[in-house]
Amino acid sequence: MQSDRHLADSEDPSEASGAALLEPTDVLEFPLHRRVVVHHTVDAETGAPELRLYYGDKEISFDEAPLFAFGEGLARSGRFIAREALAWGDGYTWPQIGSLLQTLVNEGILVRAGGESPRCPVDDGARPSPLPPAPASRPRFWDECETLFLETTGRALELGHLELAVPVFRVAHCALDGDARQVGESNVFPKPLRVDVPTRWRTCIYPGTRHRVDRPMNVSALKAMRVHWPQMMAALARMRAHFLDRFPGAGEPWTVSSVEMLATTVLALPTYAMMRARQPVPNGALHPALSSLFRVTDGLRMVMHQMLFVPMGEPLLAPGEPVDAAMILAFAERNYAFHSEHGVCAGPQAMVEEFLGVLLDDRAPTAGRLDDTALEPAVRAALDDAQRGIDYALRGLRAHVSLFSLWPAMARAYAELADVAEQSRSALPGGLRSRLGAHRRALETSSYLAREEWRRARETAYREIFGACGRGLTGRPGEACADDRDDLHARFDAARIALAPSTRAVLSTAWRRVALDADAAERLATTCERFLTFLPPVLAVATAEQAKLNRLLGRPAPTRVFDAYDADLHNRVQTDVARRVPYLLDELNDLLGLEIRVDANRIEIAALDEGAGLASRPDMNESPRRPPAGDDPNSGGMVPTEAACLPHANP
């Protein structure tokens, strides 16, 4: 049943093709009714209340308030006699309710007793691993940063640039904890660093969208989480208090962006302990309470990311939109955030609710509040360094959102290039129009940046997060300075550099060689100029934040400048993810026969020999010289969203 189909408005059941009409005495079954998610909402246009039931790929909508009780009764009922539904609400009659039930039978949602039910696992027992063989033969960590990037992307990256290529909330993913489990479990980022770890998998029997689905849950990680839960909740409560000390009033109410930031500071508790230069926790020695805390909190962060940046299923939420624990949990269910590529969340609802209650509502953990003497030394030591860990998180987020501002700009440039080619009055040679049009279609059909409103929403969220992080840094330990309060866009404007006339001439000449239409060539060059001149300020702001982060960690400064090609390493390191469009600098080099070099202080464009570029090739649709690797939802939003799991105890 489609999302725009209201059950109360369904057709006469007598018109259903060949289906026997329902009798009041028929016994009906609602197979797997425990998967149903009940959502009370309002119509976006009229403001009228609605009830929606989400069941697999079907959405059952009620827009008449008297029928809400029927919908709620349906969600509770696995097997019932048809006439019993009359008692689910007041004033129901058989013609009305029988018609609704008949429609549900016709749609395959209800079945007559003895009928064929949807396929599902036959038992709740052990399941085989859903994972393919691990890409890595041994555990690796970022002390091998240059080697790891060289092996996976062909381009070395110094450790001093790490958080620009691997966002701060993902740095710990590949680490091993004291139980010899990777922090990211089967969702390790980047995927080439995942190793095989003995894991028990079982069918999920929890209610909601994950109930008895084909994907299993990881009970090995859940077991570790149960063992360390009291210490985890104690650490969580303290991180909440530290965060509110930095951001007084942040929880009155919580907003989408403030919960995103809060979750990231919790993730930094184990990450900072491993990344600091002074007595770092070695890979393999991270306390399992800290790695388990990371997993459960990472699930929350991904749900907030989905609210901010994934415009599928539900409209994007503004950074300042108020949220609470119940809203977050309901959103996660409705939007399948408990599902990942290979499995489903292993956390029971009671644990999920306790986690959110402790973090957002300051509720006492079920095991009571632990004092310092009840914490193991490794956990206590991490908490002792929590203030610097929070600085690390906030600096890392600022570096992340400044650099990733590149991706909305790149998507916008691709759309503008395609528009110019499409509007050109003359035939463009060699298929230029079709090539650029194909890139635009790829963005429109497979990207979270397909529309300008989505691009602007992402830029707004980045701007809000950048500014809020700066307010949390001011006057606290670390490298706070006067410009931390600056607006992100103001920082970009202050760091802009113009394209030299001679460089602009090289760009214009290159486009004239490819596009016979002089007016189109000039407009194409202008779009490229706008994008290219945006890159230096993005790189300048991001690398300035990274430099402050390096000083906070006590990490040596890198020896090589971070340039515009390094900005794409986050995508290229994901070697098994199909990319939707090439990195724009690679595409421009290939289209125009150029060598473009950009960093925070320069834009250089050189023309290659006459045999380079598309003007010299009959096939306009060849791939760029440097094959692109992956893409990621945290960047350009050009692949399906990263899977969220709350708690993130399995995939």
Side-chain angles (χ1 to χ4, degrees):
M1 201 168 290
Q2 300 301 315
S3 61
D4 59 353
R5 175 87 172 276
H6 290 280
L7 191 61
D9 299 331
S10 55
E11 71 280 356
D12 186 338
S14 65
E15 298 176 2
S17 57
L21 289 179
L22 193 66
E23 297 294 336
T25 55
D26 286 344
V27 178
L28 299 176
E29 293 181 348
F30 193 176
L32 305 177
H33 73 285
R34 297 187 73 195
R35 283 188 191 170
V36 175
V37 176
V38 179
H39 178 45
H40 285 272
T41 185
V42 295
D43 183 271
E45 296 182 0
T46 66
E50 282 189 350
L51 174 69
R52 297 176 186 170
L53 306 184
Y54 297 92
Y55 180 62
D57 61 352
K58 300 181 184 296
E59 180 182 317
I60 309 167
S61 300
F62 301 87
D63 58 5
E64 298 178 19
L67 290 177
F68 291 178
F70 171 83
E72 292 165 347
L74 178 67
R76 295 191 301 267
S77 303
R79 182 184 175 96
F80 59 96
I81 300 172
R83 63 171 176 254
E84 293 175 350
L86 296 172
W88 293 348
D90 296 330
Y92 292 163
T93 64
W94 175 249
Q96 176 193 35
I97 297 302
S99 176
L100 299 180
L101 294 174
Q102 183 73 62
T103 300
L104 292 167
V105 170
N106 294 346
E107 293 285 345
I109 295 171
L110 295 179
V111 298
R112 288 179 169 85
E116 184 177 352
S117 298
R119 180 179 63 85
C120 66
V122 296
D123 59 50
D124 303 327
R127 300 275 297 280
S129 172
L131 300 174
S137 59
R138 63 182 178 88
R140 313 284 292 274
F141 198 55
W142 300 117
D143 51 349
E144 302 179 69
C145 185
E146 291 190 60
T147 301
L148 288 175
F149 274 92
L150 187 61
E151 291 175 358
T152 53
T153 72
R155 187 178 178 92
L157 185 76
E158 292 179 78
L159 181 62
H161 296 314
L162 175 64
E163 286 79 8
L164 295 174
V166 178
V168 65
F169 44 77
R170 286 179 156 180
V171 167
H173 267 223
C174 62
L176 285 184
D177 65 14
D179 289 340
R181 305 194 68 81
Q182 285 184 290
V183 172
E185 287 288 338
S186 60
N187 273 345
V188 167
F189 181 93
K191 288 185 178 181
L193 300 189
R194 183 176 66 84
V195 297
D196 281 320
V197 176
T199 302
R200 291 174 52 235
W201 300 85
R202 295 182 67 88
T203 301
C204 181
I205 60 173
Y206 306 142
T209 58
R210 51 193 165 145
H211 179 67
R212 294 172 65 83
V213 294
D214 289 339
R215 297 173 186 176
M217 63 181 187
N218 175 344
V219 293
S220 296
L222 176 61
K223 180 180 178 180
M225 192 171 291
R226 288 188 185 280
V227 169
H228 301 290
W229 191 255
Q231 291 196 93
M232 291 166 56
M233 293 302 98
L236 193 69
R238 295 183 196 196
M239 292 303 293
R240 177 187 193 276
H242 288 319
F243 184 86
L244 290 177
D245 187 40
R246 297 287 186 103
F247 299 94
E252 301 172 356
W254 291 107
T255 64
V256 179
S257 61
S258 63
V259 176
E260 166 106 347
M261 292 165 53
L262 171 62
T264 303
T265 61
V266 177
L267 298 179
L269 187 64
T271 308
Y272 176 79
M274 298 193 74
M275 297 309 298
R276 66 195 179 207
R278 175 186 56 83
Q279 297 180 330
V281 173
N283 191 26
L286 184 66
H287 195 287
L290 297 175
S291 60
S292 293
L293 181 61
F294 186 103
R295 295 182 192 112
V296 66
T297 309
D298 200 24
L300 173 62
R301 186 203 63 79
M302 287 191 283
V303 172
M304 309 319 294
H305 171 90
Q306 193 169 352
M307 289 180 173
L308 282 169
F309 301 126
V310 182
M312 304 299 173
E314 299 187 22
L316 295 175
L317 295 181
E321 185 74 22
V323 293
D324 58 29
M327 292 170 59
I328 293 169
L329 184 55
F331 178 94
E333 277 285 17
R334 292 194 308 274
N335 292 276
Y336 287 81
F338 288 100
H339 299 241
S340 74
E341 181 180 357
H342 299 292
V344 296
C345 175
Q349 183 158 335
M351 292 180 75
V352 175
E353 291 176 348
E354 180 173 355
F355 165 76
L356 291 173
V358 170
L359 183 61
L360 300 182
D361 299 331
D362 198 26
R363 292 181 189 167
T366 55
R369 299 186 187 273
L370 303 182
D371 58 27
D372 283 351
T373 60
L375 297 176
E376 294 185 44
V379 178
R380 189 163 60 247
L383 287 168
D384 287 344
D385 230 358
Q387 293 290 357
R388 298 185 73 82
I390 292 174
D391 280 342
Y392 174 65
L394 300 180
R395 285 287 177 213
L397 269 179
R398 280 167 69 94
H400 167 67
V401 299
S402 6
L403 184 65
F404 278 40
S405 297
L406 160 68
W407 305 113
M410 190 181 92
R412 184 178 294 120
Y414 261 124
E416 292 176 1
L417 291 172
D419 285 342
V420 173
E422 182 65 29
Q423 296 162 9
S424 175
R425 292 188 297 271
S426 64
L428 301 181
L432 176 62
R433 181 183 286 110
S434 63
R435 178 161 172 165
L436 293 176
H439 292 330
R440 178 172 58 188
R441 286 191 298 276
L443 287 171
E444 289 175 347
T445 58
S446 307
S447 169
Y448 301 140
L449 294 173
R451 303 178 187 173
E452 181 60 20
E453 63 186 280
W454 296 348
R455 297 189 280 267
R456 292 194 180 280
R458 185 173 290 247
E459 290 168 334
T460 297
Y462 286 163
R463 186 178 192 173
E464 168 62 27
I465 291 170
F466 185 90
C469 287
R471 292 189 292 274
L473 285 163
T474 302
R476 293 292 175 177
E479 298 294 331
C481 60
D483 65 359
D484 284 333
R485 290 196 182 97
D486 285 355
D487 177 81
L488 178 59
H489 292 188
R491 292 276 296 276
F492 287 159
D493 290 342
R496 286 186 184 273
I497 59 177
L499 205 60
S502 58
T503 305
R504 179 58 161 78
V506 173
L507 184 62
S508 297
T509 300
W511 273 115
R512 285 196 296 272
R513 290 178 61 225
V514 172
L516 294 179
D517 184 332
D519 177 66
E522 185 59 26
R523 291 171 63 197
L524 291 165
T526 298
T527 293
C528 292
E529 179 182 17
R530 187 180 304 115
F531 175 72
L532 292 174
T533 56
F534 182 62
L535 290 176
V538 166
L539 295 169
V541 176
T543 54
E545 293 299 328
Q546 180 71 40
K548 296 170 187 174
L549 182 152
N550 289 336
R551 291 196 290 273
L552 174 67
L553 293 172
R555 178 193 288 169
T559 60
R560 183 176 66 80
V561 171
F562 186 90
D563 68 20
Y565 292 99
D566 294 317
D568 193 39
L569 288 178
H570 174 82
N571 298 322
R572 294 177 61 194
V573 76
Q574 301 176 75
T575 56
D576 64 338
V577 179
R579 189 167 193 152
R580 301 306 186 247
V581 296
Y583 187 49
L584 186 51
L585 286 191
D586 290 333
E587 182 71 344
L588 293 178
N589 284 336
D590 192 63
L591 278 170
L592 305 178
L594 299 175
E595 195 68 38
I596 302 174
R597 295 293 174 191
V598 184
D599 60 35
N601 300 303
R602 62 168 181 162
I603 304 173
E604 296 178 357
I605 305 177
L608 301 179
D609 59 76
E610 289 297 319
L614 293 178
S616 63
R617 297 206 308 263
D619 183 1
M620 293 279 298
N621 297 309
E622 295 177 10
S623 299
R625 292 189 300 276
R626 187 187 67 166
D631 204 342
D632 178 80
N634 275 300
S635 59
M638 298 172 189
V639 294
T641 183
E642 62 181 342
C645 198
L646 181 68
H648 201 175
N650 69 293

